[in-house]
Amino acid sequence: MKPITPEESKLGFVGIGYMGRPIARRLLEFGFKLTAYDRDHSKAQELLRYGSSVAKSISELAASCDVILSCLPSDEAVLDIYRGPDGAFAHTSPGSVIVDMSTVYPETSRELSKLGSERGIEVLDVTISGSVPAAEQGSLTLFGGGDQRCFDAAESIFRAIARKYFYLGPIGSGATMKLVVNTLLGTGMQAIAEAVALGEKAGLDRHRLLDVLSETAVVAPAHLGKLQRAMNGDYSPQFPLRLMNKDFGLIFYLAAAVGARMPATEAAFEVNARQSEQGQEQDFSAVILQMEKQAHLEMEKSS
């Protein structure tokens, strides 16, 4: 398959959100010709100053690009963008490539691939591990599924946005790997939240506790920045609670399908959901606040 290059390929990017915006910017900085689309047109227009074009519709974007990348918040949003008479598949030329970077259920990726193959379009599911700062720095980790020759042909895209990228296997493999990784991400954050609440309740200074914990080997790099921001009470969303909540749902759906037990993940989801019910747009690390609140309530009961 012919390599995708900045000189010869025209990229379309759908979904200029938390992760889509910095990823699209990186691709523009690496010289790719890129057309952006978002249902909120103002988000796409933010990329004009970096050299992007802006499409008024999915059909306009699909007709003018030979590679389409999408980074969308849900399975429904992905299917809505690609299916139907106004969707991308109806207006994309045979031989084009779709790279869906959304966190979706693996079956959704397989459905996209099936629809694409009917029109001679290759589909890759290439999911993202990393937060907004990693996207800005081009240090994401990517998990890919689909045809390996197509994955290899897209390497110039991956090099622009990621430090590491892995081919996992057939279509849906990238989505599956992302759910495996986010299982650890979500349960790990809950474990940290419990440890922080324990230390505070036992009398440790909160700032010093977080500072020392961040220097230990037991905190994963993905959680390290969360501790540093928690010191300053900063829970502004890099990976929003609502998206972690959505991913927990996908994880449980997959676990039920394959017969895997997830007791720790169920506990983490319960706390995540409780904090999500507060209605604020917060980072998923705000489960620390939820555990601190519960510890404080227990202290009041016992006093």
Side-chain angles (χ1 to χ4, degrees):
M1 185 174 181
K2 186 178 177 182
I4 296 167
T5 64
E7 295 78 21
E8 296 185 23
S9 302
K10 294 181 180 179
L11 307 188
F13 203 104
V14 183
I16 314 300
Y18 285 109
M19 297 299 286
R21 184 182 300 105
I23 290 172
R25 278 187 59 180
R26 293 280 306 181
L27 292 168
L28 287 163
E29 289 166 3
F30 269 70
F32 281 99
K33 296 179 284 291
L34 185 144
T35 300
Y37 173 81
D38 194 280
R39 287 176 177 171
D40 181 344
H41 295 308
S42 64
K43 291 182 178 180
Q45 288 171 342
E46 289 175 19
L47 294 173
L48 286 171
R49 56 180 163 161
Y50 303 106
S52 175
S53 300
V54 173
K56 294 178 181 178
S57 66
I58 285 295
S59 57
E60 180 186 324
L61 178 141
S64 63
C65 299
D66 46 29
V67 180
I68 299 175
L69 298 97
S70 48
C71 190
L72 298 161
S74 68
D75 295 63
E76 294 77 14
V78 170
L79 293 171
D80 285 348
I81 286 294
Y82 286 103
R83 292 191 304 193
D86 297 321
F89 282 131
H91 301 274
T92 305
S93 300
S96 299
V97 176
I98 302 294
V99 183
D100 182 45
M101 309 184 86
S102 316
T103 300
V104 296
Y105 192 61
E107 190 56 42
T108 298
S109 299
R110 288 190 277 269
E111 172 69 9
L112 284 187
S113 181
K114 177 175 174 290
L115 292 171
S117 65
E118 292 170 358
R119 297 177 176 272
I121 299 165
E122 287 283 358
V123 176
L124 296 172
D125 64 309
V126 182
T127 51
I128 306 162
S129 181
S131 61
V132 173
E136 292 170 342
Q137 296 157 15
S139 58
L140 296 169
T141 300
L142 306 178
F143 313 117
D147 181 80
Q148 187 164 10
R149 292 173 303 166
C150 185
F151 183 85
D152 292 342
E155 190 174 1
S156 61
I157 290 175
F158 307 148
R159 281 200 307 266
I161 64 175
R163 184 172 296 157
K164 299 175 183 177
Y165 43 94
F166 303 96
Y167 175 75
L168 272 298
I171 194 75
S173 299
T176 300
M177 188 67 200
K178 176 63 182 289
L179 297 182
V180 170
V181 168
N182 274 17
T183 300
L184 284 174
L185 185 69
T187 56
M189 194 70 251
Q190 174 60 23
I192 288 170
E194 291 182 23
V196 169
L198 172 65
E200 287 185 65
K201 196 168 183 180
L204 293 177
D205 174 77
R206 184 180 191 274
H207 190 278
R208 190 66 180 144
L209 163 63
L210 290 166
D211 188 31
V212 172
L213 196 58
S214 68
E215 295 292 333
T216 65
V218 297
V219 176
H223 296 120
L224 188 57
K226 305 301 181 185
L227 290 181
Q228 293 166 349
R229 296 173 85 231
M231 286 183 207
N232 301 316
D234 183 2
Y235 297 98
S236 56
Q238 293 180 328
F239 179 32
L241 268 169
R242 61 182 170 80
L243 294 184
M244 186 72 247
N245 198 271
K246 181 265 295 184
D247 290 356
F248 274 132
L250 294 175
I251 289 163
F252 292 137
Y253 195 35
L254 180 61
V258 300
R261 291 190 64 249
M262 313 287 286
T265 309
E266 288 170 7
F269 168 66
E270 181 184 335
V271 178
N272 180 281
R274 197 174 301 142
Q275 186 63 22
S276 295
E277 289 167 4
Q278 306 296 314
Q280 299 179 54
E281 182 77 334
Q282 294 177 312
D283 191 75
F284 82 108
S285 58
V287 292
I288 294 174
L289 292 176
Q290 183 62 221
M291 294 310 299
E292 288 176 327
K293 177 182 176 182
Q294 290 184 28
H296 181 70
L297 290 172
E298 289 298 320
M299 286 179 70
E300 285 184 341
K301 285 181 185 177
S302 60
S303 60

